[in-house]
Amino acid sequence: MLDIQTLRNDLAGVAARLAARGYTLDTAKFEQLEAERKTIQTRTQELQARRNAASKQIGQAKAKGEDVTAIMAEVSSLGDELKLLESDTLPKVLQALDAFLAEIPNVPHANVPVGKSEADNVEVRKVGDVPKFAFEVKDHVSIGEGLGGLDFDTAAKISAARFSLLKGPLARLHRALAQFMLDTHTEKHGYTETYVPYIVNAESMRGTGQLPKFERDLFQVSFGGVDSKAIEQGYEVKTDLSTGEQTGKVFERLWFLIPTAEVPVTNMVRDEIVPLEKLPLKFVAHTPCFRSEAGSYGRDTRGMIRQHQFDKVELVQIVHPEKSYEMLEELLGHAETILKLLGLPYRVVKLCTGDMGFSSATTYDIEVWLPAQNTYREISSCSNFEAFQARRMQARFRNAAGKPELVHTLNGSGLAVGRTLVAILENYQQADGSVLVPEVLRPYMGGLTSINAI
């Protein structure tokens, strides 16, 4: 969430910077809401002053034995209007302002290249040599199915399209990748491993910026049951929309499956004040991720590239504002290390203003080479959100003067496990249909050097 004081002081400047990322800030709406707020707060202050003066008059009049009926009637009237303004009118305007701010994306950092789409992203570097094959290259679907370890039909029977089922050595390779990533980030990069909930509340989703903007991309979860105490504690009774009758089942208002571990891990510091000496906080988590992929139909329908459920090892850093860009480069390097150790060719690109995520001020994408597509595909995004998420979460630290100040938050995939598996299958494929196991993964695979058909 943007600082409202910045909007008040430089509305045109903020609008111009947001326009660079393709977002049109409704300045008229903001000015209208601000005018309403100012009018109400001015009237509230006038009423408070008048009530205080009238109360003083009552005391003075009573001391003189004068009739105070008219003054008391005025105080009562002032009190009624004041109560309405303070308990209803002003909260509604402030709520409208908060809702307005919640829909505004982050302002791009000054160093972010200006552009409209991924075509305008800037390549930073390429690492590793693209492999050359003396045989016809297969994609990961053909390779995995040929090995007997990748089954989309059974996954669809069990659940739906865009789910996958792994078995045998491929399932073990998937597990090995996650363990290898966790070990590397905890033992070499200084992250603290965390195990976090996969289902979170709406406050957590709002804190990292998934709500309210991207609700249609999330999977919601309802818990059924009947409990009068639950209703008192904020649950609501489910109503049959066709009849208007209550069914008797009680459901909590909003729960969500996590789209990324960024949500629960970053929210660890929501409503917290972190001691200065504890910064930076560095966490890593391996979780499944759940995404509806709304609006992406027709894209990457074959294989494991775009799934409703996938695993990811996520890196999160909570840092001092003065060091956040230094730490972003560090975090990016940590994610790159995994690809280097796996011997996978990749490139790093800096996203332009029109291709960045909602909450990001700066984002690097790491794209791994996929031979079957003859191109690089995203395998990690590493972002600095500056104070955008922290302001939504009220995540702070005590600065050198002992005063609370917003932290900066960063995260990045270190890496997406399924896409890393895809890259290994395609880059390490052999003419006979087998797949070599990267050397660093062999200890996690019981010494296995290649995967052959089951």
Side-chain angles (χ1 to χ4, degrees):
M1 184 176 291
L2 299 182
D3 184 357
I4 193 169
Q5 287 300 130
T6 303
L7 289 172
R8 289 168 179 164
N9 297 332
D10 186 21
L11 184 60
V14 173
R17 294 173 68 189
L18 289 172
R21 63 177 298 163
Y23 181 85
T24 301
L25 180 63
D26 191 344
T27 56
K29 179 68 172 178
F30 178 74
E31 289 173 334
Q32 173 202 332
L33 290 170
E34 271 291 277
E36 290 179 20
R37 178 192 64 80
K38 289 179 181 179
T39 298
I40 294 168
Q41 289 184 331
T42 299
R43 178 58 178 164
T44 299
Q45 292 167 359
E46 290 173 351
L47 289 172
Q48 288 171 339
R50 178 57 189 147
R51 185 180 61 178
N52 292 339
S55 296
K56 187 176 180 180
Q57 282 182 299
I58 290 173
Q60 293 172 342
K62 282 184 176 181
K64 297 177 182 179
E66 298 175 353
D67 183 13
V68 296
T69 304
I71 305 176
M72 290 185 68
E74 180 187 4
V75 169
S76 177
S77 175
L78 292 172
D80 290 342
E81 183 180 357
L82 188 59
K83 182 178 179 181
L84 179 64
L85 290 174
E86 292 178 333
S87 65
D88 183 72
T89 311
L90 182 59
K92 284 181 179 177
V93 172
L94 293 178
Q95 185 178 19
L97 265 171
D98 189 63
F100 178 84
L101 291 172
E103 294 280 357
I104 303 173
N106 203 355
V107 173
H109 188 272
N111 291 332
V112 173
V114 176
K116 295 182 179 180
S117 70
E118 63 182 26
D120 299 313
N121 294 339
V122 176
E123 182 175 286
V124 177
R125 56 182 167 271
K126 284 182 178 176
V127 178
D129 297 323
V130 170
K132 299 185 183 301
F133 298 91
F135 55 89
E136 184 177 353
V137 172
K138 297 179 180 179
D139 71 3
H140 70 281
V141 177
S142 298
I143 297 168
E145 290 178 340
L147 293 171
L150 184 56
D151 187 345
F152 293 103
D153 291 337
T154 302
K157 178 183 71 174
I158 296 169
S159 184
R162 295 202 176 186
F163 288 89
S164 58
L165 188 151
L166 297 170
K167 56 188 176 183
L170 286 193
R172 184 170 185 175
L173 180 61
H174 187 270
R175 171 165 56 91
L177 280 166
Q179 289 180 302
F180 162 67
M181 293 174 191
L182 286 172
D183 287 348
T184 301
H185 294 312
T186 55
E187 295 171 9
K188 295 184 177 181
H189 300 151
Y191 289 82
T192 298
E193 184 174 351
T194 60
Y195 175 77
V196 293
Y198 301 161
I199 299 175
V200 298
N201 54 35
E203 288 76 17
S204 294
M205 286 293 191
R206 290 190 190 99
T208 46
Q210 277 75 23
L211 286 178
K213 183 71 173 177
F214 303 106
E215 185 170 357
R216 66 192 295 264
D217 295 320
L218 306 171
F219 284 112
Q220 294 189 25
V221 181
S222 296
F223 295 94
V226 179
D227 185 350
S228 59
K229 289 185 177 179
I231 298 174
E232 295 172 3
Q233 295 170 359
Y235 289 63
E236 58 185 14
V237 178
K238 184 175 177 65
T239 301
D240 188 321
L241 297 179
S242 62
T243 64
E245 297 179 357
Q246 293 181 340
T247 63
K249 289 186 177 180
V250 177
F251 294 90
E252 190 171 18
R253 299 180 189 280
L254 287 172
W255 286 75
F256 300 90
L257 294 175
I258 60 171
T260 165
E262 167 198 345
V263 178
V265 177
T266 309
N267 271 275
M268 287 167 60
V269 295
R270 174 159 52 94
D271 297 322
E272 299 288 335
I273 299 179
V274 181
L276 176 61
E277 63 274 13
K278 294 290 186 180
L279 297 179
L281 298 175
K282 297 166 63 176
F283 301 112
V284 60
H286 166 223
T287 69
C289 305
F290 305 91
R291 300 183 185 179
S292 72
E293 295 292 350
S296 66
Y297 297 102
R299 297 178 59 199
D300 300 316
T301 55
R302 177 176 169 83
M304 297 177 64
I305 295 297
R306 196 175 296 274
Q307 300 260 282
H308 290 312
Q309 175 186 313
F310 60 95
D311 277 40
K312 190 150 60 81
V313 171
E314 190 76 0
L315 307 175
V316 172
Q317 293 195 17
I318 312 298
V319 306
H320 193 289
E322 294 178 1
K323 296 185 177 181
S324 65
Y325 279 92
E326 173 189 339
M327 301 303 287
L328 175 61
E329 297 296 328
E330 177 190 271
L331 185 148
L332 174 65
H334 294 160
E336 288 185 73
T337 295
I338 301 298
L339 290 169
K340 290 176 181 176
L341 292 172
L342 290 171
L344 293 171
Y346 68 92
R347 70 171 188 163
V348 176
V349 297
K350 195 169 190 178
L351 300 195
C352 70
T353 53
D355 197 33
M356 292 196 311
F358 176 81
S359 300
S360 176
T362 300
T363 296
Y364 290 104
D365 269 7
I366 304 175
E367 300 177 346
V368 69
W369 177 257
L370 295 184
Q373 296 188 19
N374 195 38
T375 191
Y376 292 94
R377 294 300 302 270
E378 178 199 336
I379 197 168
S380 172
S381 282
C382 299
S383 300
N384 185 354
F385 305 104
E386 297 182 357
F388 188 83
Q389 292 180 329
R391 185 170 288 107
R392 298 168 81 104
M393 296 187 300
Q394 281 302 289
R396 297 165 292 171
F397 72 102
R398 291 199 184 277
N399 60 27
K403 294 183 179 180
E405 183 180 340
L406 294 171
V407 297
H408 279 193
T409 61
L410 300 82
N411 73 28
S413 305
L415 303 162
V417 179
R419 290 194 179 192
T420 308
L421 177 66
V422 167
I424 289 174
L425 293 180
E426 294 198 6
N427 283 277
Y428 282 90
Q429 62 181 295
Q430 303 298 299
D432 62 359
S434 65
V435 175
L436 292 180
V437 176
E439 188 172 346
V440 292
L441 294 180
R442 293 173 186 176
Y444 296 90
M445 296 287 291
L448 192 68
T449 59
S450 67
I451 299 174
N452 301 282
I454 296 176

